[in-house]
Amino acid sequence: MFDTILIANRGEIACRVARTARAMGCKVVAVYSDADAGAAHVAAADVAVHIGGSAPGDSYLRGDRIIQAALDTGAQAIHPGYGFLSENPDFVDAVEAAGLVFIGPSAEAIRKMGLKDAAKALMEKAGVPVVPGYHGASQDPEHLAGAADAIGYPVLIKAVAGGGGKGMRLVEAPEGFADALASAQSEARGAFGNADVLVEKYIQRPRHIEVQVFGDGTNAVHLFERDCSLQRRHQKVIEEAPAPGMTPEMRAAMGGAAVRAAQAIGYKGAGTIEFIVDGAEGLRPDGFWFMEMNTRLQVEHPVTEAITGVDLVEWQLRVASGEALPARQEDLTIDGHSFEARLYAEDVPKGFLPATGTLAHLAFPQGARSDSGVRSGDTISPFYDPMIAKIITHGPTRDVALSRMRAALAGCQVAGTVTNLGFLSALCAHRGFAAGDVDTGLIARDLDALVRVDAPVPADWAQAALVALGLDGDLPGDAGFTLWAPLPRSVLLRFGEEERWVVVALSGPGAGVITVAGQDVPARRVAGNWVFGAVPGVAAVRAGDLITLFRGAGLAFHVVDPLERAAHEGAGGNLIEAPMPGLVKAVFAEAGQAVAAGDRLAILEAMKMEHALLATRDGVVAEVLAQPGAQVEAGAALIRLEDEEEAAA
Ligand code: ADP
Ligand code: ADP
Ligand code: MG
């Protein structure tokens, strides 16, 4: 076994790998960027090496610096985590050239699976069913359109170098093919430097079922399947293992195909074979097709760990250090059911906009596994994926595991940023999902109901007002003496778009009336806690002007300074500002142009996503203040509209 390994990653996966490595008696070297100097993964390591600036290109993608850090600290092996350099065969070559071990597959195996077209051709040869379609060499638009006709619409165009859902276009009918092809190619060229695409049949009620494989370079076993059908825009949201409705016949067929796929490339380490399944006709042993192989540890590996009892990172370290496969296929069994939910800092009602912020308070529930890379007080920066944690539950049955997930989500406390907790909770309460009736379109079909935000009740406004006035903690009045007269105090609070004055009139330290929008809420303190009418107060934290009450998915109130608000409104709604730091990808407006409310004026790329910036009202563009290619801060003015009076003149 290695004595020291370096983890070439950050966040939750770096913490996850460090946990197992240290438990195995292995020393851990972390690497970090400027933004991560105080990060949890640095604290989780024995030694930490600074490797550069905050942008991934200046640090976590700098293979040369990472290898140097490993040599300088005496590490014998490098674990790549996922993302970043984990599927980069040139990095594997460089690691090995430096005399170090790459904890993962060979560069050759990664290259064989790196392009979706070549991977599909290879899998066909190995007798693995692939999605019907065209994955040949021709990129001639006429030829591709002809292939689409032959496959039959609807079809999916995919970038051969694709990942993360980029460069993918669904085409419903022949008229749309040429435009979709051009836009998929240009997105693929921009994102991957390779414009090549393939065309495949679009499966109508698709389920995403993937098989975890593990190889030692010659032999391979599978650790059963995961169902990752709950997706939003081709990104996984909740994963589970095993797949609902899976039959022993189909499991054997899928597991066998996955093992053949891994053995065909002499696979070493943990990998995932992703299959698409046609859910419209139920699960059938001949109803699954290879989509792609991910040659790394996957984000959702914990659900497999939960049902098999295997620590996949332990297996990775053992096999990389030269041990044989730790188990035979017949030793592996499924115990119960497991779910994983991905908790993100994102503004769900605003189209799942990634969010940033300092986590004034962060607490995870007992009774669930939480894999996180941040702690209370840490910052979600704009440079990386805004994941806060993965919450994983396990139970003897799917129903129990799902109930445990509902309880676990209700027990997550996050203050300081908006999160997708409410969305995850709504999904876990979705009847179709609860019944195991999943497909990749479920979220999109029911999106409106799933993104509905819990509105605060008067008791919540009342409690937030007490917190704002500092009257919620230990009060001198609790010791038995009366400090104040019933002098009413007012506070202006904002929840979402809604602002309210709340008037607090206490008749003693432990009783009073709080008026919320004309409605009187009687308040009294019982055993040190406020009760509003019949509604008991909940845990709450205040950080600056932000108050979070932990009811449901959390309710965030802002304490508004009325003077500041007046100043802000004075500036008018003339400016289109960057909602977060990012790169201006495109500007569609020019000075003098008339625009209508909702028109797309610019695109900002931030946190791995593109965000359209829309006109806030009808008007005329006065000035374009940022050019494509510019890196801008949050709040930077990008476009100014003419004053309405100016325009009228
Ligand atoms: P896939 O959707 O291909 O199965 P995953 O869901 O595991 O893959 O992750 C999606 C992609 O984004 C992968 O390339 C993964 O490496 C990357 N990724 C996901 N989460 C993070 C994260 N927290 N930090 C860095 N990269 C991430
Ligand atoms: P990526 O590399 O971006 O992860 P994949 O090929 O794994 O790309 O596809 C991502 C997702 O797109 C799948 O999980 C599935 O939801 C959907 N998808 C892919 N291929 C098809 C298809 N042929 N028919 C229907 N949906 C598909
Ligand atoms: Mg994929």
Side-chain angles (χ1 to χ4, degrees):
M1 184 45 60
F2 309 113
D3 155 77
T4 306
I5 67 163
L6 178 143
I7 302 172
N9 215 298
R10 63 174 306 282
E12 70 87 14
I13 191 60
C15 295
R16 157 76 192 92
V17 173
R19 180 161 55 75
T20 291
R22 295 187 67 177
M24 293 172 73
C26 196
K27 281 213 284 300
V28 167
V29 181
V31 291
Y32 65 94
S33 67
D34 288 346
D36 280 341
H41 79 274
V42 170
D46 297 285
V47 184
V49 181
H50 175 251
I51 50 166
S54 301
D58 296 333
S59 48
Y60 299 108
L61 292 172
R62 287 294 302 264
D64 53 341
R65 293 194 187 161
I66 291 170
I67 291 169
Q68 193 57 50
L71 295 171
D72 292 347
T73 53
Q76 297 108 34
I78 296 184
H79 193 301
Y82 55 69
F84 298 127
L85 293 168
S86 62
E87 295 182 273
N88 183 324
D90 298 336
F91 178 63
V92 179
D93 284 336
V95 168
E96 288 172 355
L100 302 168
V101 175
F102 180 76
I103 302 173
S106 67
E108 194 197 348
I110 297 177
R111 283 197 182 98
K112 283 184 174 154
M113 287 296 180
L115 295 178
K116 292 182 202 277
D117 53 348
K120 280 180 83 172
L122 186 76
M123 289 300 100
E124 267 179 323
K125 259 179 55 193
V128 176
V130 305
V131 186
Y134 175 77
H135 47 265
S138 171
Q139 292 296 312
D140 172 41
E142 302 245 317
H143 189 266
L144 292 172
D149 290 336
I151 296 162
Y153 283 87
V155 298
L156 199 60
I157 301 174
K158 276 188 191 177
V160 301
K166 282 206 168 172
M168 201 147 76
R169 293 288 182 282
L170 168 62
V171 196
E172 305 274 3
E175 308 80 79
F177 189 83
D179 284 353
L181 177 64
S183 94
Q185 286 172 326
S186 87
E187 186 170 304
R189 190 179 295 111
F192 314 111
N194 177 348
D196 288 0
V197 298
L198 56 80
V199 184
E200 63 187 30
K201 175 133 201 79
Y202 182 73
I203 310 294
Q204 294 284 359
R205 269 237 165 188
R207 283 178 64 175
H208 174 121
I209 302 183
E210 59 186 33
V211 179
Q212 175 72 54
V213 291
F214 208 101
D216 64 3
T218 312
N219 294 312
V221 293
H222 72 85
L223 290 95
F224 314 106
E225 77 281 358
R226 294 182 287 256
D227 193 311
C228 310
S229 299
L230 286 198
Q231 303 184 350
R232 197 186 74 86
R233 301 210 181 143
H234 309 301
Q235 300 283 342
K236 299 162 185 171
V237 178
I238 292 183
E239 301 98 340
E240 62 180 301
M246 180 57 72
T247 62
E249 295 72 35
M250 185 169 185
R251 177 172 292 135
M254 291 186 83
V259 166
R260 278 201 302 286
Q263 286 176 350
I265 55 168
Y267 197 75
K268 185 170 179 179
T272 295
I273 315 285
E274 295 191 332
F275 294 103
I276 192 138
V277 168
D278 191 346
E281 298 166 43
L283 298 183
R284 288 191 337 250
D286 62 347
F288 67 91
W289 301 277
F290 172 87
M291 269 194 305
E292 66 166 344
M293 178 170 190
N294 293 325
T295 50
R296 55 174 157 88
L297 190 66
Q298 200 100 339
V299 175
E300 57 274 21
H301 73 277
V303 294
T304 298
E305 297 187 323
I307 61 158
T308 58
V310 167
D311 180 329
L312 285 166
V313 174
E314 180 193 324
W315 278 30
Q316 286 187 302
L317 297 183
R318 289 173 60 182
V319 167
S321 70
E323 286 184 36
L325 273 180
R328 292 167 307 175
Q329 190 66 56
E330 54 271 31
D331 301 332
L332 294 162
T333 52
I334 297 180
D335 169 29
H337 205 99
S338 176
F339 287 93
E340 171 184 285
R342 300 185 184 196
L343 174 59
Y344 283 101
E346 60 187 14
D347 196 337
V348 170
K350 286 200 186 139
F352 296 82
L353 195 68
T356 55
T358 296
L359 299 167
H361 174 84
L362 181 65
F364 298 116
Q366 301 292 312
R369 170 174 168 184
S370 47
D371 283 17
S372 177
V374 284
R375 304 152 297 184
S376 275
D378 285 350
T379 298
I380 306 279
S381 79
F383 301 105
Y384 317 108
D385 193 284
M387 187 190 275
I388 298 172
K390 305 184 307 201
I391 308 296
I392 302 108
T393 60
H394 181 231
T397 64
R398 187 172 188 271
D399 281 350
V400 173
L402 188 55
S403 303
R404 288 184 177 156
M405 179 58 82
R406 287 189 206 103
L409 292 172
C412 287
Q413 298 184 337
V414 188
T417 179
V418 289
T419 72
N420 64 342
L421 255 180
F423 173 65
L424 294 173
S425 301
L427 257 181
C428 288
H430 185 281
R431 289 177 63 175
F433 176 42
D437 189 8
V438 293
D439 71 278
T440 64
L442 182 146
I443 289 179
R445 279 194 303 277
D446 290 336
L447 196 66
D448 290 348
L450 293 169
V451 303
R452 209 166 290 143
V453 193
D454 279 346
V457 296
D460 298 318
W461 290 95
Q463 184 178 1
L466 286 179
V467 175
L469 295 171
L471 296 174
D472 61 318
D474 291 333
L475 300 178
D478 288 345
F481 64 98
T482 304
L483 195 64
W484 48 76
L487 186 66
R489 296 167 70 187
S490 304
V491 53
L492 181 59
L493 297 174
R494 179 163 57 76
F495 181 91
E497 303 286 296
E498 192 179 355
E499 271 184 10
R500 284 186 183 180
W501 281 102
V502 181
V503 184
V504 177
L506 296 186
S507 51
V513 172
I514 302 175
T515 312
V516 182
Q519 186 179 339
D520 286 346
V521 180
R524 69 206 146 81
R525 253 167 107 81
V526 180
N529 291 313
W530 285 101
V531 179
F532 304 94
V535 184
V538 291
V541 294
R542 175 171 186 168
D545 70 353
L546 184 70
I547 293 171
T548 308
L549 303 189
F550 298 115
R551 191 189 304 287
L555 298 169
F557 293 87
H558 288 267
V559 183
V560 184
D561 176 346
L563 293 175
E564 200 177 295
R565 183 187 53 160
H568 199 80
E569 278 178 356
N574 292 342
L575 292 178
I576 313 298
E577 297 173 345
M580 64 185 76
L583 174 77
V584 179
K585 285 257 342 217
V587 177
F588 306 111
E590 46 186 274
Q593 182 184 337
V595 295
D599 281 359
R600 197 168 64 142
L601 302 185
I603 290 183
L604 186 71
E605 186 181 80
M607 304 175 98
K608 309 205 301 183
M609 306 262 291
E610 289 183 359
H611 309 282
L613 303 181
L614 310 180
T616 46
R617 59 170 171 81
D618 295 352
V620 174
V621 175
E623 223 181 333
V624 173
L625 301 160
Q627 299 310 316
Q631 191 75 37
V632 296
E633 292 301 319
L638 304 182
I639 287 164
R640 188 170 68 79
L641 300 181
E642 282 182 8
D643 285 340
E644 309 208 40
E645 301 83 78
E646 193 183 329

